[in-house]
Amino acid sequence: MRATARIRAVADGRGGTALPVLAGEGPLALRRVRTDAGSRGEAGVMLVGAMSAPLGGDSLAVDAEAGPGARLALGTAAATLALPGRGGAPARYRVRLAVAAGAAVRWLPEPLVSVRGSDLAVHTRVELAAGARLVLREEQVLGRTGEAPGLLRSRLTADLAGRPLLDQELACGPGAPGGWDGPAGLAGHRAAGQLLVVDPEFAAAPPAAAVLGEYAVAMPLAGPAVLVSVLAPDALALRRVLDAACRTYGR
């Protein structure tokens, strides 16, 4: 199956955000929702799974653009389960976020769960203009309770004003490069996540590097941005740390 969800947000000229494009396909159904920041002109969009996906062989994509001055919050209604397909082919899931100058996007999906026997490649690509704001959270859970994970390859890239800001990749599960679960990798943990915050105000007052827990660190990037990386034993513990980091850096 191939399916793409397309979202375009624009400032409506009255202090709010309009959504002239809100189109989902296949399992990627889109619903407009209220947000906590709605009074500040933010539009909320929720991805609702209309069927089981991604299955092996599927190619899914989310393509979102926020024009100058627009404020957009994106999320998912439930965790995404990467499931095995009949033919054993890998599945692909691509997310593209384009954020114009003066715009702000929050991408806060529920966790991605790598189910035993699955094979999924995820690529989240962010294109930020100078003066754009971003809060992005990603959470990967290796297997359901008591279950071995599938093969998961997750890449996050971000460009700011046409220059690279971040490019990192995680590969884990059967078939991943050796050592992924060793002391230099996940060290036995079954949940991993990151929070990327880009804010022009960081240019004048960049966040300092900080240890946020036994397996959680905040690292300033070479730009007005900070990256929080976390390992945890399960999804609940992971979310607690990322929520606290979001309150600290995401404002």
Side-chain angles (χ1 to χ4, degrees), residues 147-188:
E147 178 185 64
L151 174 59
L152 175 63
R153 290 150 293 166
S154 177
R155 185 178 180 188
L156 171 60
T157 58
D159 292 343
L160 176 62
R163 302 182 64 180
L165 178 67
L166 176 67
D167 190 342
Q168 69 172 26
E169 187 169 2
L170 170 69
C172 49
W180 66 269
D181 202 23
L186 299 188

Side-chain angles (χ1 to χ4, degrees), residues 23-226:
E25 296 177 343
L28 302 175
L30 300 175
R31 301 289 184 268
R32 181 159 187 172
V33 297
R34 293 183 179 181
T35 72
D36 294 338
S39 60
R40 299 198 300 254
E42 184 181 69
V45 176
M46 191 71 68
L47 276 75
V48 180
M51 61 184 72
S52 294
L55 298 170
D58 287 351
S59 180
L60 307 180
V62 176
D63 199 316
E65 297 183 2
R71 295 173 56 87
L72 178 64
L74 298 169
T76 58
T80 298
L81 297 181
L83 300 168
R86 292 183 178 178
R92 301 186 182 278
Y93 193 174
R94 178 184 62 84
V95 177
R96 173 181 170 268
L97 306 174
V99 191
V105 169
R106 292 191 294 148
W107 170 237
L108 302 173
E110 295 302 306
L112 169 63
V113 182
S114 176
V115 172
R116 181 176 58 191
S118 64
D119 184 348
L120 176 64
V122 182
H123 187 186
T124 300
R125 182 163 57 94
V126 183
E127 302 165 359
L128 299 154
R133 287 176 169 82
L134 173 76
V135 177
L136 181 151
R137 180 187 70 212
E138 289 190 335
E139 299 167 299
Q140 295 92 24
V141 179
L142 305 186
R144 295 168 291 195
T145 302
E147 178 185 64
L151 174 59
L152 175 63
R153 290 150 293 166
S154 177
R155 185 178 180 188
L156 171 60
T157 58
D159 292 343
L160 176 62
R163 302 182 64 180
L165 178 67
L166 176 67
D167 190 342
Q168 69 172 26
E169 187 169 2
L170 170 69
C172 49
W180 66 269
D181 202 23
L186 299 188
H189 293 83
R190 284 297 176 263
Q194 47 273 335
L195 177 76
L196 173 63
V197 179
V198 181
D199 190 329
E201 294 183 9
F202 290 164
V211 176
L212 306 180
E214 186 175 6
Y215 296 98
V217 295
M219 300 169 289
L221 301 181
V226 62

